Short mmCIF file of all heavy atoms in Angstrom, two decimals:
data_model
loop_
_atom_site.label_atom_id
_atom_site.label_comp_id
_atom_site.label_asym_id
_atom_site.label_seq_id
_atom_site.Cartn_x
_atom_site.Cartn_y
_atom_site.Cartn_z
N GLY A 12 43.32 -15.55 -10.96
CA GLY A 12 44.00 -15.25 -12.20
C GLY A 12 43.89 -13.74 -12.69
O GLY A 12 44.87 -13.19 -13.06
N THR A 42 32.71 -18.97 -7.69
CA THR A 42 31.89 -18.05 -6.96
C THR A 42 32.75 -16.98 -6.06
O THR A 42 32.16 -16.25 -5.47
CB THR A 42 30.93 -18.77 -6.02
OG1 THR A 42 31.70 -19.70 -5.30
CG2 THR A 42 29.84 -19.51 -6.81
N SER A 48 43.61 -5.03 -7.99
CA SER A 48 44.25 -4.36 -6.88
C SER A 48 44.19 -2.89 -6.97
O SER A 48 44.40 -2.36 -7.95
CB SER A 48 45.78 -4.70 -6.87
OG SER A 48 46.04 -6.02 -6.99
N LYS A 53 52.11 3.17 -10.08
CA LYS A 53 53.57 3.27 -10.44
C LYS A 53 54.22 1.90 -10.11
O LYS A 53 55.18 1.49 -10.79
CB LYS A 53 54.28 4.39 -9.70
CG LYS A 53 53.84 5.79 -10.13
CD LYS A 53 54.62 6.83 -9.50
CE LYS A 53 54.03 8.18 -9.78
NZ LYS A 53 54.05 9.19 -8.65
N GLN A 57 49.85 -2.80 -14.31
CA GLN A 57 48.91 -3.70 -14.81
C GLN A 57 47.55 -3.76 -14.18
O GLN A 57 46.49 -4.16 -14.71
CB GLN A 57 49.51 -5.23 -14.73
CG GLN A 57 50.73 -5.48 -15.60
CD GLN A 57 51.97 -5.22 -14.84
OE1 GLN A 57 52.05 -4.36 -14.02
NE2 GLN A 57 53.04 -5.84 -15.26
N LEU A 68 31.87 -4.93 -14.78
CA LEU A 68 31.32 -6.34 -14.67
C LEU A 68 29.92 -6.50 -14.50
O LEU A 68 29.28 -5.71 -13.74
CB LEU A 68 32.00 -6.93 -13.45
CG LEU A 68 33.44 -7.34 -13.52
CD1 LEU A 68 34.05 -7.69 -12.15
CD2 LEU A 68 33.61 -8.52 -14.47
N ALA A 103 55.66 -12.92 5.83
CA ALA A 103 56.34 -13.46 6.91
C ALA A 103 57.85 -13.15 6.97
O ALA A 103 58.60 -13.63 7.81
CB ALA A 103 56.17 -15.01 6.90
N ALA A 117 55.84 -4.81 10.72
CA ALA A 117 55.12 -4.13 11.84
C ALA A 117 54.36 -2.90 11.23
O ALA A 117 53.25 -2.65 11.63
CB ALA A 117 56.05 -3.71 12.91
N ARG A 138 40.02 -10.45 4.12
CA ARG A 138 40.82 -11.61 4.04
C ARG A 138 42.30 -11.10 4.09
O ARG A 138 42.61 -10.00 3.62
CB ARG A 138 40.63 -12.30 2.69
CG ARG A 138 41.26 -13.58 2.41
CD ARG A 138 40.37 -14.33 1.48
NE ARG A 138 39.98 -13.75 0.25
CZ ARG A 138 40.72 -13.81 -0.93
NH1 ARG A 138 41.90 -14.39 -0.91
NH2 ARG A 138 40.34 -13.24 -2.02
N GLY A 139 43.17 -11.94 4.74
CA GLY A 139 44.58 -11.57 4.74
C GLY A 139 45.35 -12.55 3.94
O GLY A 139 45.07 -13.77 3.94
N GLU A 159 53.35 -17.77 12.44
CA GLU A 159 52.47 -17.61 13.59
C GLU A 159 52.55 -16.17 14.15
O GLU A 159 51.42 -15.61 14.45
CB GLU A 159 52.86 -18.64 14.68
CG GLU A 159 51.91 -18.59 15.83
CD GLU A 159 52.01 -19.73 16.76
OE1 GLU A 159 52.86 -20.67 16.55
OE2 GLU A 159 51.37 -19.69 17.83
N VAL A 187 54.63 -27.10 4.11
CA VAL A 187 53.40 -26.36 3.95
C VAL A 187 52.43 -26.72 5.12
O VAL A 187 51.82 -25.84 5.70
CB VAL A 187 52.78 -26.67 2.56
CG1 VAL A 187 51.30 -26.29 2.53
CG2 VAL A 187 53.59 -25.93 1.47
N LYS A 196 46.34 -22.43 14.55
CA LYS A 196 46.32 -22.18 15.99
C LYS A 196 45.51 -20.93 16.33
O LYS A 196 45.08 -20.76 17.44
CB LYS A 196 47.77 -22.02 16.58
CG LYS A 196 48.46 -23.31 16.77
CD LYS A 196 49.92 -23.18 17.10
CE LYS A 196 50.10 -22.75 18.53
NZ LYS A 196 51.64 -22.72 18.84
N VAL A 203 41.08 -20.57 7.03
CA VAL A 203 42.43 -20.64 6.62
C VAL A 203 42.48 -21.25 5.14
O VAL A 203 41.69 -22.21 4.84
CB VAL A 203 43.20 -21.67 7.47
CG1 VAL A 203 44.61 -21.89 6.93
CG2 VAL A 203 43.31 -20.90 8.90
N GLY A 212 56.67 -26.96 -9.20
CA GLY A 212 55.73 -28.14 -9.46
C GLY A 212 55.19 -28.87 -8.31
O GLY A 212 54.78 -29.99 -8.39
N ALA A 234 44.49 -21.10 -16.17
CA ALA A 234 45.61 -21.19 -17.19
C ALA A 234 47.02 -21.15 -16.36
O ALA A 234 47.97 -21.00 -17.08
CB ALA A 234 45.51 -20.16 -18.27
N GLY A 235 46.96 -21.08 -15.07
CA GLY A 235 48.20 -21.04 -14.36
C GLY A 235 48.91 -19.73 -14.48
O GLY A 235 50.16 -19.59 -14.35
N ASN A 248 50.33 -19.20 -10.00
CA ASN A 248 49.63 -20.04 -9.02
C ASN A 248 49.30 -21.39 -9.75
O ASN A 248 49.30 -21.47 -10.87
CB ASN A 248 48.31 -19.48 -8.61
CG ASN A 248 48.43 -18.35 -7.59
OD1 ASN A 248 48.60 -17.26 -7.99
ND2 ASN A 248 48.51 -18.77 -6.37
N THR A 251 43.92 -23.43 -11.94
CA THR A 251 42.53 -23.84 -11.39
C THR A 251 42.08 -25.12 -12.05
O THR A 251 41.52 -25.98 -11.43
CB THR A 251 41.59 -22.67 -11.69
OG1 THR A 251 42.22 -21.42 -11.41
CG2 THR A 251 40.38 -22.83 -10.85
N LEU A 269 34.44 -28.08 -15.47
CA LEU A 269 35.79 -28.09 -16.03
C LEU A 269 35.85 -27.60 -17.45
O LEU A 269 36.71 -26.81 -17.82
CB LEU A 269 36.41 -29.52 -15.83
CG LEU A 269 37.80 -29.63 -16.34
CD1 LEU A 269 38.80 -28.71 -15.59
CD2 LEU A 269 38.35 -31.12 -16.25
N LEU A 283 46.76 -13.54 -24.62
CA LEU A 283 48.22 -13.42 -24.35
C LEU A 283 49.13 -14.01 -25.40
O LEU A 283 50.36 -13.88 -25.29
CB LEU A 283 48.50 -14.09 -22.92
CG LEU A 283 47.75 -13.42 -21.69
CD1 LEU A 283 47.99 -14.34 -20.48
CD2 LEU A 283 48.25 -12.03 -21.48
N SER A 289 48.81 -25.07 -18.03
CA SER A 289 48.11 -26.08 -17.22
C SER A 289 48.06 -27.30 -17.94
O SER A 289 47.68 -27.42 -19.15
CB SER A 289 46.58 -25.54 -17.10
OG SER A 289 45.63 -26.62 -16.91
N ALA A 304 40.46 -32.50 -35.75
CA ALA A 304 40.05 -32.49 -37.24
C ALA A 304 41.21 -32.05 -38.10
O ALA A 304 42.03 -31.22 -37.74
CB ALA A 304 38.88 -31.57 -37.44
#
Side-chain angles (χ1 to χ4, degrees):
T42 52
S48 305
K53 287 186 192 143
Q57 292 91 334
L68 282 171
R138 188 149 55 86
E159 185 166 354
V187 163
K196 282 171 74 176
V203 171
N248 283 90
T251 316
L269 185 59
L283 297 169
S289 157

